Amino acid sequence: MPRTMRQGGSVKNPAAPRLPSRLQPAEMWRDALQDDAVVKHVTYAGTSFAGAHAEAFEAEGCRFEGVRFTGAVMRQSQISDSVLDTCDFAELKADDVSLVRCTVSGSRVTGSSWKAATFRDVRFENGKADHALFRECKFYGVAFEDVPMHGADFQKSDMHNVRFENCTLTDVGGAASLRGVVVQGPGSMELALSLAREAGIVFD
């Protein structure tokens, strides 16, 4: 069986976010998603960043709960040591963005675009990522757990220590870029079919 589809393998779990014990409520006059902002140790609850544009935004040690990033544009930004819970990233455009030691839980990543992004020690769990674009991205120590990913695209991405567990992987683009990942539970056959399709193999 090709290495990309092996089951039952083990990979190192992503490092957990280093959140401080106490967080302050975010203040929009100071902590908004905007150019060159540096935000530390705050909680965003039900905040809407829909349609916002930000370059060189940095968030460290923060909690995002029910935050809407729908239609937002982020460039050369970083979120680190943070928890993003039940957030909506639909139609987000994130170019050259980094997520470091983050947990993305119960969140909608459907239709978002991550170009040349870096994910290091990130756990995606119990969310949705159908038709998400992860093109030219770098993944280091990343786990996708119970995340439907129908039609997701990984063209020209690099994978290091990456696991897909109980994920739907039908019609995945750039399947050849998933070389070396571990697939656990359902999803291996779907990925095999995507690989065959990219190789021009037709089953009659």
Side-chain angles (χ1 to χ4, degrees), residues 19-112:
L19 278 173
S21 58
R22 302 182 71 175
L23 301 175
Q24 299 297 320
E27 299 285 351
M28 287 304 97
W29 62 268
R30 178 191 62 203
D31 304 321
L33 183 66
Q34 57 189 342
D35 293 350
D36 302 311
V38 178
V39 181
K40 294 185 178 182
H41 308 164
V42 303
T43 295
Y44 297 90
T47 306
S48 177
F49 293 137
H53 287 236
E55 188 163 342
F57 172 83
E58 294 184 25
E60 178 185 339
C62 297
R63 182 178 293 275
F64 298 79
E65 298 179 352
V67 175
R68 293 182 60 218
F69 292 88
T70 48
V73 176
M74 297 176 65
R75 295 188 177 93
Q76 298 179 328
S77 299
Q78 177 170 297
I79 299 176
S80 61
D81 288 310
S82 296
V83 172
L84 300 101
D85 185 49
T86 59
C87 294
D88 192 346
F89 298 93
E91 309 304 327
L92 167 72
K93 295 186 184 301
D95 294 345
D96 194 18
V97 168
S98 297
L99 266 62
V100 181
R101 289 184 304 278
C102 289
T103 299
V104 183
S105 179
S107 296
R108 182 173 174 242
V109 190
T110 304
S112 57

